[in-house]
C-alpha cells in the first residue's frame, strides 16, 4: 500500500553528519564514476522543482531565447544518443526510473521539460508523472528535495540555487537511509502515470509558447 509520507527529508540548508557535500564538478564526477559501476540494480530519480536553469543544453538555450521550433529540433537531435544509453542500460541490467511531480498550470519550463521527458521515454527511459497531491502529506513546511539513487548504494540530494541553477549535491551512503528513499520513490512510481500518456492528453493539443522562458 502506498504510504504518502516521505522518509526523513534532507534539509535544504546544512548537511547532516552522515552526508557529504559535493560541489558541482565533484558531484558530476562522482556520479559518473559510480553510475559506470552499476550492474543488475535499477536507479531512481525524484524530481520536484517546477523550474530549473539547465546548463549546457542548446535546446534549453533556444527556448530561453523564445525559439520554440529550434528548441524541439535540438531535443530530437539527441534521439540517437538516448537510444544508445538505453541499449547500454539493457546490457548492464540496470534501468533508470524517473518520477516527475507536475503542478498545474504548467510553468514554461515544465512545458519544455515534458517534451524532453517524452523523448526520453520513447527511447526507453522509464518515466512516470504524479500530481502534487501525491506528495502533499510530506510537504507541510517545505517542498521535497530532488533525489537521485544510483544502484541502491548511493543517494544524492541534488542542490540548486533559489533561481534553479545546479549547485552540487549532498551524498549519502547509509544503506537504511537509501533503502527508505528508494521504497518511497518506487511507491510513487507505481501510482504514477506514464509520461507519454500524460503528454498526449495534457500537452499535445497546446499551442507553442509565444514568450521567452523567463
Amino acid at each position: 500500500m502506498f504510504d504518502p509520507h516521505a522518509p526523513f527529508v534532507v534539509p535544504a540548508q546544512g548537511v547532516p553528519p552522515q552526508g557529504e557535500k559535493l560541489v558541482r564538478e565533484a558531484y558530476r564526477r562522482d556520479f559518473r564514476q559510480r553510475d559506470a559501476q552499476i550492474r543488475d540494480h535499477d536507479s531512481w530519480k525524484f524530481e520536484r522543482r517546477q523550474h530549473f536553469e539547465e546548463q549546457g543544453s542548446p535546446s534549453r538555450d533556444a527556448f530561453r531565447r523564445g525559439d520554440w521550433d529550434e528548441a524541439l529540433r535540438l531535443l530530437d537531435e539527441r534521439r540517437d544518443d538516448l537510444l544508445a544509453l538505453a541499449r547500454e542500460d539493457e546490457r548492464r541490467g540496470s534501468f533508470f526510473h524517473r518520477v516527475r511531480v507536475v503542478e498545474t498550470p504548467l510553468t514554461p519550463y515544465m512545458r519544455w521539460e515534458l517534451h524532453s521527458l517524452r523523448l526520453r521515454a520513447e527511447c526507453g527511459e522509464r518515466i512516470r508523472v504524479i500530481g502534487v497531491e501525491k506528495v502533499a502529506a510530506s510537504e507541510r513546511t517545505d517542498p521535497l528535495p530532488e533525489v537521485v539513487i544510483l544502484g541502491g548504494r548511493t543517494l544524492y540530494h541534488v542542490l540548486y540555487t533559489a533561481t534553479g541553477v545546479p549547485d552540487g549535491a549532498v551524498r549519502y551512503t547509509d544503506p537504511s537511509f537509501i533503502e527508505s528513499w528508494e521504497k518511497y520513490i518506487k511507491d510513487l512510481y507505481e501510482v504514477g502515470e506514464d509520461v507519454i500518456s500524460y503528454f498526449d492528453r495534457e500537452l499535445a493539443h497546446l499551442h507553442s509558447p509565444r514568450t521567452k522562458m523567463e
Side-chain angles (χ1 to χ4, degrees):
M1 181 180 294
F2 171 61
D3 181 354
H5 297 90
F8 170 71
V9 178
V10 185
Q13 301 296 327
V15 180
Q18 69 271 30
E20 181 179 357
K21 175 71 182 294
L22 303 174
V23 298
R24 185 182 176 207
E25 286 307 314
Y27 162 55
R28 295 176 66 182
R29 183 168 58 251
D30 192 75
F31 185 103
R32 289 193 298 267
Q33 291 172 349
R34 291 172 183 261
D35 182 56
Q37 297 171 5
I38 298 172
R39 298 293 186 277
D40 302 317
H41 199 301
D42 292 343
S43 294
W44 299 82
K45 184 172 187 178
F46 173 78
E47 291 184 305
R48 176 63 183 90
R49 293 179 61 103
Q50 302 299 292
H51 179 81
F52 296 101
E53 287 296 333
E54 301 278 352
Q55 305 290 302
S57 168
S59 174
R60 170 67 171 79
D61 293 341
F63 193 11
R64 187 184 289 111
R65 296 191 303 269
D67 192 342
W68 178 243
D69 290 339
E70 178 69 359
L72 295 186
R73 186 190 69 78
L74 289 168
L75 276 180
D76 198 62
E77 279 190 352
R78 301 190 60 217
R79 187 177 297 272
D80 288 346
D81 290 339
L82 292 172
L83 288 169
L85 287 174
R87 290 192 294 269
E88 176 64 12
D89 286 349
E90 183 79 32
R91 186 187 68 79
R92 295 192 300 164
S94 173
F95 298 96
F96 195 84
H97 299 70
R98 187 187 305 251
V99 174
R100 206 338 155 182
V101 178
V102 176
E103 294 186 50
T104 54
L106 297 173
T107 64
Y109 174 85
M110 286 303 304
R111 292 273 305 271
W112 173 81
E113 187 187 331
L114 285 163
H115 277 270
S116 176
L117 294 180
R118 190 185 197 284
L119 174 63
R120 286 178 174 273
E122 289 175 345
C123 294
E125 191 171 319
R126 302 173 184 194
I127 305 171
R128 292 188 181 176
V129 169
I130 60 170
V132 70
E133 72 280 356
K134 291 291 193 299
V135 297
S138 298
E139 296 191 330
R140 306 271 183 202
T141 56
D142 296 297
L144 287 171
E146 310 292 316
V147 173
V148 180
I149 300 173
L150 291 183
R153 301 181 65 179
T154 309
L155 182 149
Y156 299 103
H157 170 198
V158 187
L159 304 175
Y160 297 87
T161 67
T163 58
V165 176
D167 194 30
V170 182
R171 181 182 63 201
Y172 297 85
T173 56
D174 176 74
S176 61
F177 181 60
I178 294 171
E179 182 180 2
S180 64
W181 263 103
E182 186 170 71
K183 181 181 184 305
Y184 180 67
I185 299 174
K186 284 181 178 180
D187 288 348
L188 289 174
Y189 185 86
E190 289 301 317
V191 299
E193 178 181 0
D194 181 82
V195 70
I196 293 178
S197 67
Y198 177 86
F199 182 99
D200 290 346
R201 185 182 69 253
E202 300 292 339
L203 274 84
H205 65 284
L206 297 180
H207 295 297
S208 302
R210 298 187 182 281
T211 59
K212 295 180 182 180
M213 288 189 67
E214 60 270 8

